[in-house]
Amino acid sequence: MIFKIEDVTVYFPYDNIYPEQYEYMVELKRTLDAKGHCLLEMPTGTGKTIALLSLITSYRLSRPDSPIKLVYCTRTVHEMEKTLAELKVLHDYQVLHLGTQAKILAIGLSSRKNLCVNTKVLAAENRDSVDAACRKRTASWVRALSTENPNIELCDYFENYEKAAENALLPPGVYTLEDLRAFGKNRGWCPYFLARHMVQFANVIVYSYQYLLDPKVAGIISKELQKESVVVFDEAHNIDNVCIEALSVSVRRVTLEGANRNLNKIREEIDRSKATDAGRLRAEYNRLVEGLALRGDLSGGDQWLANPALPHDILKEAVPGNIRRAEHFVHVLRRLLQYLGVRLDTENVEKESPVSFVSSLNSQAGIEQKTLKFCYDRLQSLMLTLEITDTDEFLPIQTVCDFATLVGTYARGFSIIIEPYDERMPHIPDPILQLSCHDASLAIKPVFDRFQSVVITSGTLSPIDLYPRLLSFTPVVSRSFKMSMTRDCICPMVLTRGSDQLPVSTKFDMRSDPGVVRNYGKLLVEMVSIVPDGVVCFFVSYSYMDGIIATWNETGILKEIMQQKLVFIETQDVVETTLALDNYRRACDCGRGAVFFSVARGKVAEGIDFDRHYGRLVVMYGVPFQYTLSKILLARLEYLRDTFQIKEGDFLTFDALRQAAQCVGRVIRSKADYGMMIFADKRYSRHDKRSKLPGWILSHLRDAHLNLSTDMAIHIAREFLRKMAQPYDKTGTMGRKTLLTQEDLEKMAETGVQDMAY
């Protein structure tokens, strides 16, 4: 359908549109017009992605002179592929109506591991090894040597891509990762370098958060993006945690040992270089005198990662004299490793600020702050000069230099925490030194400053007023949308006690109580006997899930469950979990029915859908609070309290409830779907906890469902399933339209939006 929102003609590839999709587009347009940032919470399964893509691409078409580019960030490769598939449908529709003027170039960009087509490179098992195997065949000095030595192996795909030079271009269209690989194979060009090259020409780029939020990667991939770009962070409920991870570094004993081996190897390379080609080291020294930003004479294709933290103006400064010479720099790093080794030899937990850490490092090891700042860049420059290709072997020293640069750059928003062992296993010594970032706004501030509009959107952004404080920005639009429905297809319940009236909870003093474990088991036994197809259970942690399943096994509860449905379990092994998920789906498909045990902060809680018959009931066992004795979490809570006046309890509850909402939201992925959600913990009946759930769940949570025992929940589930089995009118009745046609939209334009909406 084609309709107008003010002065923009929107091309929407389906015959009907949900009222909330239309409202979402209206708010999005307001944001783009205001050239500001926004927060939009939209229920899962209401077509948020296609609404976003339709509005922004149509907005671009209505302003042909404006260079608007859409940068769409997703969490996983699976979500990236889904977004590009939606965009393909939309693009075909726009081309059908507008012809060639609607043509765009849209690409997905991912790591070499996902885009490489060279089978020898792909034989490496992990991402870092694939990267290194690629560099061994594509680095400029390797290619230069191959002219004299024909035995040196190069990559034919990269060579062909280089030969094609300016002609290596993608024709307009929408390219998924699979399409890019197929195109690359067909032409004989490297899909990874082709996609990297096309970023500057593409109208739509879909890639992961890291490409914008992690400064080491963003400095290379995203530096050419125009200011007029519109950046979308989809599924952004955890965006503050992603920002913090991008600027946090951990150093363990094994890191220091690896870094020492790296330095020995670098030392050997320096000696060899001095003997064979001292001019290279001298040229590097001269370049460092002038400043790092002037390293343009290094081959551009040989960049690995940009700097983890340094603003551009600092890069213009000259590198401190004491690390300009390669051997002096190695000596400084040796002293740094020695100092870190001494600090790891502690028997007590230590916490300090970067300022006091830097001053004690200066007094004990004689390394100044300015020297620390340049460690990462100095290392990259040296590795390029020494022509090192085994980058995966040099990860330990890169980690140490990353740590040094961050600690030398930031005075606030960070803590250094040294722990002699993991609190959960105090008898095993495993010292770890962590530079922990507490301020999410540090990583995302450059994105807000640089781009015209940033859209932060998800199905769970409640309470929505906390995000501007956590990320320290002022949104021009902040809205939470309800879900328009023809029938109440979501049935949330709060279960506070078992059938024996004993309260249930995963509170620390109650979680191992045999009565609680038994009641949790009985609830599932009863539910699997009446709920068809798939049931998903989320537990608060792996250890709690293992313990509870072991107890159910001993008491015979697991056997009772397995008489009704097959049981599959998520583990910490990705391959095992993927296999379990596949078999769970097969069991649901063939009508046998299955139960999937999962963890609220595990892999399955993010991005895996249990739509239709794969998830008719989801049980959230307990409130998934973070491990509250974690020193890093405590330091962050202290920072949030002192800097943003966010109370510890408020943040912990907000964080646990967004995770719980994310878990239960997995079962509703469209309006034709239906499912039940059981919050099995007495704490959910408290208003201060419950009120932090998203509005679209709360609007279906009746007062009568707030304080249930197992028997009452069974009765409600039976009634709900009977009601869902009846036929219903998909377009809505009695003035509650949930599917709008073109005529409805035209009427709304004349009479005002609210007349037709739910």
Side-chain angles (χ1 to χ4, degrees), residues 330-571:
V330 170
H331 187 57
V332 166
L333 288 185
R334 283 243 193 265
R335 295 209 307 272
L336 175 62
L337 291 178
Q338 241 169 338
Y339 176 78
L340 292 177
V342 171
R343 292 303 302 264
L344 276 177
D345 260 344
T346 177
E347 287 179 10
N348 305 312
V349 174
E350 295 176 21
K351 176 188 166 213
E352 62 183 318
S353 69
V355 177
S356 77
F357 184 88
V358 169
S359 83
S360 87
L361 178 60
N362 192 4
S363 62
Q364 290 180 41
I367 303 172
E368 294 172 0
Q369 183 184 0
K370 187 165 183 188
T371 305
L372 287 174
K373 258 187 204 179
F374 283 100
C375 273
Y376 193 87
D377 269 321
R378 181 67 189 90
L379 177 73
Q380 298 295 26
S381 170
L382 181 58
M383 286 173 74
L384 286 168
T385 303
L386 296 175
E387 301 182 344
I388 290 171
T389 47
D390 303 336
T391 45
D392 54 335
E393 285 179 27
F394 286 82
L395 288 174
I397 193 68
Q398 288 185 357
T399 303
V400 170
C401 288
D402 187 3
F403 168 83
T405 293
L406 285 166
V407 86
T409 306
Y410 291 107
R412 46 189 306 280
F414 284 81
S415 293
I416 286 139
I417 297 167
I418 306 169
E419 295 181 83
Y421 49 77
D422 187 327
E423 274 151 346
R424 289 174 256 197
M425 290 183 285
H427 50 287
I428 301 173
D430 178 24
I432 180 169
L433 182 148
Q434 301 171 84
L435 174 68
S436 172
C437 175
H438 308 314
D439 192 343
S441 64
L442 292 174
I444 204 167
K445 186 179 184 298
V447 181
F448 284 135
D449 291 350
R450 209 175 123 202
F451 296 111
Q452 182 170 300
S453 290
V454 177
V455 179
I456 291 176
T457 187
S458 177
T460 43
L461 286 178
S462 299
I464 208 161
D465 56 339
L466 203 54
Y467 283 89
R469 287 159 71 192
L470 282 174
L471 302 175
S472 135
F473 77 110
T474 310
V476 292
V477 173
S478 181
R479 268 290 302 272
S480 183
F481 299 94
K482 293 259 186 355
M483 202 171 185
S484 61
M485 294 195 169
T486 48
R487 56 178 187 164
D488 290 329
C489 62
I490 303 176
C491 178
M493 301 178 247
V494 174
L495 182 113
T496 56
R497 54 197 194 281
S499 40
D500 55 5
Q501 305 305 312
L502 278 176
V504 293
S505 175
T506 56
K507 272 176 77 169
F508 202 71
D509 51 353
M510 285 177 70
R511 61 170 53 179
S512 46
D513 184 308
V516 173
V517 176
R518 186 183 64 246
N519 276 323
Y520 274 160
K522 290 293 181 202
L523 165 70
L524 192 55
V525 169
E526 296 284 354
M527 281 295 174
V528 292
S529 65
I530 62 163
V531 177
D533 302 316
V535 175
V536 189
C537 303
F538 285 102
F539 296 87
V540 289
S541 67
Y542 282 108
S543 56
Y544 183 60
M545 178 172 77
D546 294 345
I548 214 166
I549 292 172
T551 311
W552 286 352
N553 190 32
E554 286 160 21
T555 52
I557 287 175
L558 198 60
K559 195 174 176 190
E560 287 182 62
I561 295 168
M562 289 171 76
Q563 281 169 356
Q564 303 287 343
K565 294 189 190 307
L566 297 176
V567 172
F568 298 94
I569 302 174
E570 174 187 356
T571 65

Side-chain angles (χ1 to χ4, degrees), residues 142-438:
V142 175
R143 295 172 64 224
L145 277 175
S146 71
T147 52
E148 300 153 29
N149 181 355
N151 296 328
I152 291 178
E153 192 174 347
L154 299 179
C155 172
D156 293 339
Y157 291 103
F158 183 75
E159 292 306 312
N160 293 339
Y161 162 75
E162 284 287 299
K163 274 187 202 121
E166 286 89 65
N167 299 323
L169 296 170
L170 278 168
V174 178
Y175 295 87
T176 61
L177 302 184
E178 187 52 53
D179 295 336
L180 281 168
R181 285 196 297 268
F183 183 87
K185 264 190 173 163
N186 188 16
R187 289 291 177 90
W189 296 341
C190 169
Y192 172 75
F193 283 99
L194 179 63
R196 281 263 304 261
H197 173 58
M198 294 309 291
V199 162
Q200 51 192 319
F201 307 111
N203 312 100
V204 182
I205 307 155
V206 184
Y207 55 30
S208 98
Y209 281 31
Q210 263 60 33
Y211 287 145
L212 269 186
L213 294 179
D214 186 340
K216 295 194 289 296
V217 189
I220 289 181
I221 304 288
S222 306
K223 65 176 188 295
E224 285 116 4
L225 296 178
Q226 301 91 321
K227 177 163 177 43
E228 292 79 14
S229 301
V230 177
V231 174
V232 174
F233 288 108
D234 194 9
E235 295 298 331
H237 45 277
N238 274 342
I239 192 162
D240 52 318
N241 293 338
V242 179
C243 293
I244 276 169
E245 281 163 25
L247 291 179
S248 296
V249 187
S250 301
V251 176
R252 293 172 182 272
R253 278 249 185 285
V254 61
T255 320
L256 298 183
E257 287 160 13
N260 264 316
R261 283 197 301 276
N262 294 160
L263 284 185
N264 292 340
K265 190 150 182 202
I266 287 174
R267 184 74 239 196
E268 287 167 21
E269 291 290 330
I270 291 170
D271 293 343
R272 211 185 68 221
S273 190
K274 271 185 179 166
T276 57
D277 186 4
R280 274 216 317 264
L281 288 170
R282 210 168 26 253
E284 182 191 41
Y285 178 83
N286 295 335
R287 192 173 65 247
L288 295 176
V289 174
E290 293 161 14
L292 272 164
L294 304 170
R295 53 181 178 182
D297 52 342
L298 288 170
S299 165
D302 291 332
Q303 272 181 313
W304 284 310
L305 292 172
N307 192 284
L310 293 188
H312 198 69
D313 49 347
I314 294 183
L315 292 176
K316 292 196 179 75
E317 290 180 31
V319 171
N322 60 344
I323 56 169
R324 281 181 200 158
R325 292 205 181 283
E327 53 271 37
H328 294 174
F329 175 57
V330 170
H331 187 57
V332 166
L333 288 185
R334 283 243 193 265
R335 295 209 307 272
L336 175 62
L337 291 178
Q338 241 169 338
Y339 176 78
L340 292 177
V342 171
R343 292 303 302 264
L344 276 177
D345 260 344
T346 177
E347 287 179 10
N348 305 312
V349 174
E350 295 176 21
K351 176 188 166 213
E352 62 183 318
S353 69
V355 177
S356 77
F357 184 88
V358 169
S359 83
S360 87
L361 178 60
N362 192 4
S363 62
Q364 290 180 41
I367 303 172
E368 294 172 0
Q369 183 184 0
K370 187 165 183 188
T371 305
L372 287 174
K373 258 187 204 179
F374 283 100
C375 273
Y376 193 87
D377 269 321
R378 181 67 189 90
L379 177 73
Q380 298 295 26
S381 170
L382 181 58
M383 286 173 74
L384 286 168
T385 303
L386 296 175
E387 301 182 344
I388 290 171
T389 47
D390 303 336
T391 45
D392 54 335
E393 285 179 27
F394 286 82
L395 288 174
I397 193 68
Q398 288 185 357
T399 303
V400 170
C401 288
D402 187 3
F403 168 83
T405 293
L406 285 166
V407 86
T409 306
Y410 291 107
R412 46 189 306 280
F414 284 81
S415 293
I416 286 139
I417 297 167
I418 306 169
E419 295 181 83
Y421 49 77
D422 187 327
E423 274 151 346
R424 289 174 256 197
M425 290 183 285
H427 50 287
I428 301 173
D430 178 24
I432 180 169
L433 182 148
Q434 301 171 84
L435 174 68
S436 172
C437 175
H438 308 314

